[in-house]
Amino acid sequence: MAGTVYDALVGILDETFQVEPEMIRADATLADMDLDSLAAAELAAIVQDRFGVKVTGQEVGKGSTLRDVAAVIDGRIDGRTDAHEASAAAACQ
């Protein structure tokens, strides 16, 4: 799990959703942090704005752990980077 994505999510949960710091753990679900489905949808929108990647409601649903959400975002960022690098390399040939 990339620290930067995880750390950014911790900051979002603390600052935007006022989740108590002791409740924010990698293995805690969004439900464990008292976030409902509306908050999960808002988190998905924030993720898209902050990281430039889309996540589904299921991926950031109440049953998703913070670790799960960070891994999904990392995967999307890595995929986007790989696709961008492949496109740039093809353009140079």
Side-chain angles (χ1 to χ4, degrees):
M1 162 174 42
T4 55
V5 170
Y6 179 83
D7 292 341
L9 287 173
V10 169
I12 291 166
L13 292 168
D14 178 37
E15 296 164 16
T16 304
F17 297 101
Q18 287 79 43
V19 176
E20 296 295 325
E22 61 273 4
M23 294 177 69
I24 302 173
R25 301 180 326 275
D27 63 339
T29 65
L30 298 185
D32 292 339
M33 294 181 269
D34 293 330
L35 298 179
D36 60 15
S37 56
L38 183 59
E42 185 177 351
L43 178 60
I46 292 169
V47 164
Q48 185 170 356
D49 287 345
R50 176 86 48 103
F51 299 103
V53 296
K54 282 190 174 189
V55 292
T56 67
Q58 285 184 321
E59 293 168 327
V60 296
K62 295 179 354 179
S64 300
T65 66
L66 185 52
R67 179 184 298 115
D68 296 337
V69 175
V72 168
I73 295 167
D74 281 334
R76 295 278 159 75
I77 290 170
D78 289 346
R80 185 186 65 204
T81 301
D82 293 345
H84 177 69
E85 289 171 358
S87 175
C92 290
Q93 294 180 353

XYZ file of all heavy atoms in Angstrom:
673
model
N 0.854 -1.176 0.000
C 0.000 0.000 0.000
C 0.893 1.230 0.000
O 1.741 1.380 0.866
C -0.890 -0.086 1.232
C -1.540 1.167 1.656
S -2.720 0.953 3.012
C -1.923 -0.158 4.123
N 0.721 2.047 -1.005
C 1.545 3.253 -1.095
C 1.180 4.212 0.026
O 0.013 4.491 0.252
C 1.351 3.915 -2.455
N 2.188 4.671 0.716
C 1.961 5.564 1.840
C 1.263 6.844 1.458
O 0.433 7.342 2.202
N 1.559 7.368 0.285
C 0.979 8.660 -0.070
C -0.536 8.577 -0.245
O -1.252 9.453 0.220
C 1.625 9.228 -1.348
O 1.504 8.268 -2.386
C 3.083 9.554 -1.130
N -1.030 7.542 -0.886
C -2.479 7.386 -1.060
C -3.123 7.119 0.289
O -4.121 7.755 0.653
C -2.815 6.256 -2.062
C -4.296 5.930 -2.044
C -2.378 6.656 -3.463
N -2.562 6.193 1.039
C -3.107 5.866 2.358
C -3.119 7.109 3.243
O -4.132 7.419 3.880
C -2.289 4.746 3.000
C -2.787 4.364 4.371
C -3.843 3.475 4.514
C -2.211 4.913 5.511
C -4.319 3.131 5.769
C -2.672 4.566 6.765
C -3.726 3.685 6.891
O -4.191 3.358 8.141
N -2.000 7.824 3.281
C -1.903 9.024 4.113
C -2.910 10.088 3.675
O -3.501 10.770 4.518
C -0.491 9.601 4.082
C 0.523 8.686 4.766
O 0.114 7.813 5.552
O 1.729 8.842 4.489
N -3.097 10.232 2.364
C -4.078 11.197 1.864
C -5.486 10.797 2.302
O -6.287 11.656 2.696
C -3.999 11.301 0.346
N -5.795 9.497 2.252
C -7.109 9.033 2.698
C -7.306 9.293 4.187
O -8.390 9.712 4.611
C -7.290 7.547 2.393
C -7.498 7.190 0.929
C -7.481 5.673 0.747
C -8.797 7.769 0.403
N -6.273 9.074 4.970
C -6.355 9.367 6.400
C -6.683 10.845 6.604
O -7.556 11.204 7.400
C -5.048 8.978 7.128
C -5.017 9.531 8.550
C -4.878 7.461 7.141
N -6.010 11.709 5.864
C -6.273 13.146 5.957
C -7.698 13.503 5.555
O -8.353 14.318 6.207
N -8.192 12.875 4.487
C -9.567 13.128 4.034
C -10.561 12.687 5.102
O -11.518 13.414 5.412
C -9.836 12.392 2.700
C -9.030 13.028 1.572
C -11.332 12.392 2.372
C -8.969 12.182 0.302
N -10.349 11.505 5.654
C -11.260 11.009 6.687
C -11.254 11.909 7.916
O -12.303 12.177 8.507
C -10.896 9.575 7.069
C -11.157 8.541 5.976
C -10.495 7.212 6.340
C -12.644 8.358 5.742
N -10.089 12.397 8.282
C -9.965 13.272 9.448
C -10.566 14.653 9.172
O -11.424 15.123 9.920
C -8.487 13.381 9.828
C -8.248 14.315 11.003
O -9.070 14.347 11.937
O -7.212 15.020 10.997
N -10.144 15.274 8.086
C -10.519 16.660 7.822
C -11.934 16.812 7.261
O -12.672 17.695 7.685
C -9.515 17.277 6.859
C -8.118 17.361 7.439
C -7.053 17.616 6.388
O -7.387 18.014 5.263
O -5.872 17.393 6.703
N -12.305 15.973 6.307
C -13.594 16.126 5.637
C -14.731 15.464 6.408
O -15.820 16.016 6.504
C -13.533 15.550 4.209
O -12.476 16.200 3.507
C -14.839 15.758 3.471
N -14.450 14.274 6.943
C -15.512 13.499 7.592
C -15.419 13.510 9.119
O -16.234 12.901 9.788
C -15.500 12.061 7.066
C -15.796 11.983 5.598
C -14.776 11.823 4.675
C -17.093 12.089 5.123
C -15.035 11.757 3.317
C -17.374 12.030 3.771
C -16.344 11.870 2.861
N -14.422 14.200 9.668
C -14.219 14.311 11.109
C -14.226 12.960 11.822
O -14.787 12.802 12.908
C -15.267 15.235 11.759
C -15.065 16.704 11.471
C -15.568 17.112 10.094
O -16.638 16.700 9.682
N -14.796 17.908 9.395
N -13.594 11.959 11.199
C -13.445 10.654 11.835
C -12.372 10.785 12.914
O -11.310 11.367 12.679
C -13.054 9.569 10.805
C -12.801 8.233 11.488
C -14.139 9.426 9.742
N -12.672 10.266 14.096
C -11.712 10.320 15.194
C -10.439 9.576 14.802
O -10.520 8.466 14.259
C -12.306 9.690 16.450
C -13.509 10.435 16.998
C -13.164 11.828 17.488
O -12.053 12.027 18.030
O -14.005 12.726 17.327
N -9.276 10.160 15.059
C -8.007 9.533 14.660
C -7.844 8.089 15.127
O -7.304 7.259 14.392
C -6.944 10.441 15.283
C -7.614 11.774 15.382
C -9.060 11.461 15.675
N -8.317 7.764 16.322
C -8.159 6.392 16.812
C -9.041 5.391 16.061
O -8.803 4.186 16.118
C -8.427 6.299 18.319
C -9.813 6.700 18.752
C -9.987 8.190 19.034
O -9.038 8.973 18.827
O -11.084 8.566 19.448
N -10.038 5.882 15.323
C -10.901 5.005 14.530
C -10.325 4.722 13.145
O -10.756 3.803 12.460
C -12.297 5.619 14.379
C -13.068 5.717 15.680
S -14.674 6.513 15.460
C -15.536 5.259 14.524
N -9.351 5.532 12.725
C -8.775 5.397 11.386
C -7.635 4.384 11.436
O -6.553 4.661 11.951
C -8.273 6.755 10.854
C -9.419 7.764 10.829
C -7.663 6.590 9.471
C -8.994 9.187 10.469
N -7.941 3.174 10.925
C -6.955 2.091 10.872
C -7.060 1.427 9.505
O -8.119 1.421 8.886
C -7.241 1.033 11.947
C -7.233 1.519 13.366
C -7.533 0.385 14.351
N -8.479 -0.628 13.875
C -9.818 -0.527 13.957
N -10.376 0.551 14.471
N -10.585 -1.513 13.519
N -5.979 0.829 9.057
C -5.963 0.177 7.742
C -7.024 -0.907 7.636
O -7.632 -1.096 6.582
C -4.580 -0.410 7.452
N -7.284 -1.616 8.744
C -8.246 -2.721 8.702
C -9.665 -2.305 9.090
O -10.560 -3.140 9.133
C -7.769 -3.868 9.590
C -7.678 -3.485 11.058
O -7.593 -2.280 11.374
O -7.691 -4.391 11.908
N -9.891 -1.037 9.344
C -11.226 -0.548 9.695
C -12.052 -0.344 8.423
O -11.559 0.192 7.437
C -11.128 0.765 10.463
N -13.302 -0.791 8.480
C -14.197 -0.534 7.350
C -14.747 0.875 7.471
O -14.679 1.502 8.540
C -15.374 -1.530 7.324
O -16.189 -1.320 8.488
C -14.888 -2.977 7.257
N -15.316 1.342 6.375
C -15.934 2.663 6.434
C -17.071 2.670 7.444
O -17.283 3.661 8.144
C -16.416 3.079 5.045
C -15.323 3.204 3.973
C -15.903 3.737 2.671
C -14.179 4.077 4.430
N -17.795 1.546 7.541
C -18.858 1.438 8.545
C -18.279 1.523 9.961
O -18.878 2.155 10.840
C -19.637 0.142 8.358
N -17.111 0.903 10.182
C -16.452 0.983 11.492
C -16.147 2.434 11.853
O -16.112 2.787 13.030
C -15.128 0.206 11.500
C -15.296 -1.291 11.396
O -16.396 -1.801 11.699
O -14.309 -1.958 10.999
N -15.922 3.261 10.822
C -15.602 4.670 11.041
C -16.854 5.540 11.007
O -16.776 6.758 10.899
C -14.569 5.129 10.006
C -13.225 4.456 10.179
S -11.986 5.007 8.994
C -12.229 3.805 7.671
N -18.026 4.872 11.089
C -19.333 5.550 11.130
C -19.648 6.348 9.871
O -20.338 7.370 9.931
C -19.449 6.453 12.365
C -19.484 5.655 13.651
O -19.981 4.516 13.634
O -19.004 6.177 14.678
N -19.144 5.869 8.718
C -19.483 6.508 7.449
C -20.619 5.728 6.805
O -20.573 4.507 6.709
C -18.269 6.541 6.526
C -17.069 7.343 7.027
C -15.935 7.279 6.030
C -17.449 8.786 7.294
N -21.646 6.447 6.359
C -22.782 5.800 5.712
C -22.595 5.804 4.197
O -21.551 6.226 3.688
C -24.090 6.481 6.121
C -24.133 7.962 5.747
O -23.293 8.428 4.934
O -25.024 8.663 6.252
N -23.602 5.330 3.470
C -23.479 5.218 2.019
C -23.358 6.590 1.348
O -22.683 6.719 0.328
C -24.653 4.434 1.433
O -25.876 5.026 1.804
N -23.968 7.603 1.908
C -23.823 8.955 1.348
C -22.380 9.441 1.508
O -21.807 10.015 0.586
C -24.788 9.922 2.037
C -24.796 11.349 1.522
C -25.155 11.388 0.032
C -25.779 12.194 2.305
N -21.786 9.176 2.662
C -20.383 9.546 2.882
C -19.463 8.764 1.949
O -18.482 9.317 1.436
C -19.995 9.310 4.342
N -19.790 7.496 1.696
C -18.988 6.687 0.775
C -19.045 7.272 -0.634
O -18.029 7.330 -1.333
C -19.464 5.236 0.779
N -20.233 7.726 -1.048
C -20.369 8.353 -2.368
C -19.570 9.658 -2.423
O -18.926 9.961 -3.435
C -21.842 8.605 -2.673
N -19.616 10.415 -1.345
C -18.836 11.654 -1.292
C -17.340 11.349 -1.331
O -16.573 12.043 -2.012
C -19.181 12.441 -0.029
C -18.503 13.795 0.030
C -18.900 14.617 1.247
O -19.830 14.241 1.977
O -18.257 15.662 1.449
N -16.923 10.290 -0.645
C -15.516 9.884 -0.677
C -15.101 9.510 -2.092
O -14.016 9.886 -2.548
C -15.273 8.717 0.286
C -13.856 8.158 0.326
C -12.849 9.231 0.743
C -13.787 6.964 1.272
N -15.969 8.807 -2.820
C -15.665 8.441 -4.206
C -15.453 9.691 -5.058
O -14.538 9.738 -5.890
C -16.778 7.570 -4.783
N -16.273 10.714 -4.850
C -16.132 11.966 -5.602
C -14.831 12.680 -5.232
O -14.132 13.211 -6.105
C -17.337 12.871 -5.339
N -14.490 12.663 -3.965
C -13.244 13.291 -3.512
C -12.046 12.560 -4.104
O -11.075 13.193 -4.547
C -13.177 13.324 -1.973
C -14.227 14.289 -1.423
C -11.784 13.704 -1.489
C -14.437 14.199 0.081
N -12.109 11.227 -4.122
C -11.026 10.428 -4.703
C -10.829 10.797 -6.165
O -9.698 10.981 -6.626
C -11.310 8.912 -4.545
C -10.440 8.078 -5.460
C -11.126 8.499 -3.092
N -11.929 10.945 -6.904
C -11.817 11.305 -8.313
C -11.179 12.685 -8.468
O -10.301 12.881 -9.311
C -13.170 11.269 -9.001
C -13.065 11.528 -10.493
C -14.350 11.262 -11.232
O -15.327 10.805 -10.656
N -14.352 11.541 -12.508
N -11.591 13.633 -7.650
C -11.010 14.981 -7.712
C -9.544 14.990 -7.309
O -8.716 15.610 -7.966
C -11.780 15.941 -6.799
C -13.147 16.308 -7.336
O -13.421 16.067 -8.539
O -13.965 16.825 -6.546
N -9.220 14.304 -6.229
C -7.873 14.345 -5.677
C -6.871 13.533 -6.479
O -5.744 13.951 -6.706
C -7.918 13.849 -4.227
C -6.602 13.737 -3.507
C -6.105 15.002 -2.827
N -7.049 15.678 -2.019
C -7.109 15.654 -0.695
N -6.279 14.905 -0.017
N -7.992 16.374 -0.053
N -7.281 12.327 -6.906
C -6.343 11.403 -7.550
C -6.568 11.258 -9.047
O -5.762 10.636 -9.737
C -6.414 10.017 -6.898
C -6.057 10.025 -5.438
C -7.051 9.941 -4.480
C -4.740 10.126 -5.033
C -6.733 9.950 -3.133
C -4.420 10.137 -3.687
C -5.415 10.058 -2.733
N -7.689 11.775 -9.549
C -7.961 11.677 -10.979
C -8.353 10.289 -11.442
O -8.210 9.967 -12.617
N -8.838 9.459 -10.522
C -9.280 8.111 -10.876
C -10.693 7.903 -10.351
O -11.077 8.457 -9.321
C -8.343 7.014 -10.320
C -6.961 7.124 -10.943
C -8.255 7.054 -8.812
N -11.463 7.094 -11.088
C -12.821 6.777 -10.661
C -12.820 5.498 -9.850
O -12.108 4.550 -10.168
C -13.732 6.589 -11.875
C -14.168 7.864 -12.505
C -15.249 7.591 -13.544
C -15.785 8.901 -14.055
N -16.955 8.701 -14.891
N -13.621 5.487 -8.801
C -13.868 4.278 -8.031
C -15.372 4.105 -7.917
O -16.112 5.081 -7.930
C -13.208 4.330 -6.623
C -11.698 4.299 -6.723
C -13.662 5.543 -5.845
N -15.810 2.867 -7.832
C -17.241 2.600 -7.747
C -17.703 2.652 -6.293
O -16.898 2.596 -5.368
C -17.571 1.210 -8.311
O -17.005 0.214 -7.445
C -17.042 1.039 -9.723
N -19.007 2.722 -6.140
C -19.589 2.703 -4.811
C -19.250 1.442 -4.056
O -19.039 1.468 -2.842
N -19.173 0.305 -4.771
C -18.797 -0.950 -4.112
C -17.361 -0.908 -3.629
O -17.035 -1.453 -2.579
C -18.976 -2.127 -5.058
C -20.416 -2.527 -5.266
C -20.519 -3.753 -6.142
O -19.780 -3.900 -7.102
N -21.441 -4.629 -5.798
N -16.492 -0.276 -4.400
C -15.077 -0.229 -4.033
C -14.830 0.650 -2.815
O -13.845 0.460 -2.102
C -14.238 0.250 -5.217
C -14.222 -0.745 -6.357
C -13.659 -0.187 -7.640
O -13.840 1.024 -7.914
O -13.051 -0.964 -8.383
N -15.691 1.619 -2.597
C -15.567 2.471 -1.412
C -16.812 2.332 -0.539
O -17.163 3.243 0.189
C -15.311 3.957 -1.773
C -13.996 4.130 -2.468
C -16.443 4.532 -2.587
N -17.443 1.178 -0.604
C -18.646 0.928 0.180
C -18.353 0.791 1.662
O -17.191 0.714 2.090
N -19.426 0.731 2.443
C -19.311 0.670 3.899
C -18.524 -0.546 4.376
O -17.911 -0.507 5.428
C -20.699 0.677 4.540
C -21.436 1.959 4.300
C -22.827 2.044 4.887
C -23.396 0.832 5.520
N -24.735 1.003 6.074
N -18.496 -1.625 3.590
C -17.764 -2.821 3.976
C -16.308 -2.820 3.558
O -15.544 -3.721 3.917
N -15.894 -1.811 2.800
C -14.499 -1.717 2.347
C -13.622 -1.206 3.474
O -13.990 -0.284 4.191
C -14.391 -0.754 1.165
O -15.176 -1.181 0.094
N -12.443 -1.816 3.599
C -11.495 -1.303 4.586
C -10.704 -0.152 3.971
O -10.646 0.003 2.747
C -10.510 -2.391 5.058
O -9.681 -2.773 3.958
C -11.234 -3.593 5.638
N -10.074 0.601 4.821
C -9.224 1.686 4.349
C -8.107 1.125 3.481
O -7.758 1.700 2.445
C -8.673 2.460 5.544
C -7.862 3.708 5.260
C -8.620 4.662 4.338
C -7.497 4.399 6.551
N -7.571 -0.031 3.856
C -6.534 -0.701 3.067
C -7.069 -1.040 1.672
O -6.385 -0.845 0.673
C -6.070 -1.968 3.779
C -5.005 -2.744 3.028
C -4.628 -4.054 3.715
N -4.058 -3.838 5.039
C -4.637 -4.238 6.181
N -5.788 -4.874 6.169
N -4.050 -4.000 7.335
N -8.308 -1.566 1.606
C -8.923 -1.916 0.320
C -9.045 -0.685 -0.582
O -8.706 -0.739 -1.768
C -10.337 -2.487 0.516
C -10.377 -3.797 1.267
O -9.350 -4.522 1.290
O -11.449 -4.104 1.838
N -9.547 0.395 -0.017
C -9.751 1.616 -0.799
C -8.419 2.144 -1.320
O -8.293 2.500 -2.496
C -10.491 2.687 0.039
C -10.595 4.001 -0.731
C -11.888 2.192 0.436
N -7.398 2.171 -0.466
C -6.070 2.635 -0.889
C -5.513 1.752 -1.995
O -4.933 2.255 -2.970
C -5.113 2.674 0.303
N -5.707 0.431 -1.884
C -5.201 -0.498 -2.903
C -5.893 -0.288 -4.244
O -5.246 -0.325 -5.300
C -5.378 -1.941 -2.437
N -7.201 -0.043 -4.227
C -7.939 0.211 -5.470
C -7.409 1.477 -6.134
O -7.143 1.505 -7.340
C -9.457 0.332 -5.201
C -10.186 0.889 -6.408
C -10.031 -1.016 -4.818
N -7.237 2.522 -5.344
C -6.739 3.795 -5.901
C -5.326 3.606 -6.449
O -5.019 4.053 -7.557
C -6.773 4.904 -4.830
C -8.222 5.189 -4.435
C -6.095 6.175 -5.344
C -8.356 6.027 -3.178
N -4.464 2.939 -5.671
C -3.094 2.672 -6.142
C -3.115 1.922 -7.471
O -2.360 2.242 -8.389
C -2.314 1.847 -5.121
C -1.789 2.664 -3.964
O -1.572 3.874 -4.139
O -1.594 2.083 -2.881
N -3.974 0.911 -7.565
C -4.075 0.130 -8.801
C -4.514 0.976 -9.979
O -3.987 0.832 -11.090
N -5.472 1.854 -9.744
C -5.953 2.714 -10.826
C -4.877 3.710 -11.236
O -4.689 3.978 -12.417
C -7.213 3.469 -10.393
C -8.389 2.596 -10.116
C -9.130 2.209 -11.396
N -9.929 1.031 -11.198
C -11.077 0.976 -10.534
N -11.584 2.051 -10.013
N -11.719 -0.169 -10.409
N -4.174 4.257 -10.269
C -3.100 5.205 -10.580
C -1.994 4.495 -11.357
O -1.510 5.009 -12.358
C -2.547 5.858 -9.290
C -3.594 6.804 -8.698
C -1.244 6.597 -9.572
C -3.249 7.320 -7.314
N -1.608 3.301 -10.909
C -0.567 2.538 -11.597
C -1.012 2.202 -13.017
O -0.224 2.298 -13.953
C -0.232 1.247 -10.848
C 0.518 1.508 -9.556
O 1.019 2.633 -9.361
O 0.584 0.579 -8.723
N -2.266 1.799 -13.179
C -2.788 1.474 -14.506
C -2.792 2.678 -15.420
O -2.455 2.587 -16.599
N -3.155 3.810 -14.873
C -3.179 5.036 -15.661
C -1.766 5.426 -16.056
O -1.501 5.805 -17.190
C -3.836 6.162 -14.852
C -3.999 7.445 -15.643
C -4.503 8.567 -14.787
N -3.505 8.875 -13.776
C -3.774 9.460 -12.631
N -4.998 9.788 -12.325
N -2.819 9.717 -11.771
N -0.820 5.278 -15.131
C 0.576 5.604 -15.412
C 1.134 4.674 -16.478
O 1.779 5.118 -17.427
C 1.415 5.524 -14.124
O 0.872 6.442 -13.182
C 2.854 5.865 -14.382
N 0.857 3.367 -16.349
C 1.335 2.397 -17.331
C 0.758 2.698 -18.712
O 1.474 2.666 -19.709
C 0.965 0.970 -16.919
C 1.701 0.519 -15.669
O 2.691 1.178 -15.297
O 1.270 -0.477 -15.066
N -0.528 3.003 -18.779
C -1.173 3.311 -20.055
C -0.595 4.585 -20.653
O -0.339 4.672 -21.853
C -2.679 3.441 -19.871
N -0.350 5.579 -19.804
C 0.211 6.849 -20.277
C 1.636 6.636 -20.798
O 1.997 7.157 -21.854
C 0.211 7.878 -19.138
C 0.836 9.182 -19.521
N 0.254 10.039 -20.418
C 1.997 9.740 -19.152
C 1.035 11.099 -20.562
N 2.105 10.938 -19.805
N 2.436 5.853 -20.079
C 3.812 5.588 -20.516
C 3.824 4.816 -21.832
O 4.635 5.109 -22.724
C 4.574 4.826 -19.434
C 4.894 5.676 -18.228
C 5.465 4.882 -17.068
O 5.582 3.641 -17.190
O 5.795 5.496 -16.043
N 2.937 3.845 -21.986
C 2.867 3.067 -23.226
C 2.448 3.958 -24.388
O 3.014 3.870 -25.489
C 1.885 1.907 -23.068
N 1.504 4.852 -24.130
C 1.046 5.771 -25.175
C 2.168 6.730 -25.578
O 2.390 6.988 -26.763
C -0.160 6.556 -24.653
O -0.552 7.520 -25.599
N 2.896 7.233 -24.599
C 4.002 8.162 -24.878
C 5.117 7.445 -25.644
O 5.698 8.011 -26.574
C 4.536 8.752 -23.571
N 5.411 6.199 -25.264
C 6.462 5.441 -25.940
C 6.050 5.167 -27.391
O 6.888 5.267 -28.310
C 6.724 4.127 -25.206
N 4.804 4.852 -27.629
C 4.327 4.592 -28.982
C 4.395 5.855 -29.846
O 4.718 5.801 -31.028
C 2.899 4.056 -28.944
N 4.123 6.984 -29.225
C 4.149 8.245 -29.955
C 5.578 8.629 -30.370
O 5.773 9.303 -31.375
C 3.545 9.359 -29.094
N 6.554 8.178 -29.609
C 7.952 8.511 -29.892
C 8.524 7.649 -31.024
O 9.584 7.965 -31.556
C 8.820 8.334 -28.644
S 8.467 9.586 -27.383
N 7.845 6.559 -31.378
C 8.398 5.663 -32.399
C 8.026 6.096 -33.791
O 7.160 6.731 -34.132
C 7.922 4.236 -32.159
C 8.510 3.714 -30.869
C 8.045 2.278 -30.594
O 7.208 1.742 -31.271
N 8.638 1.680 -29.584
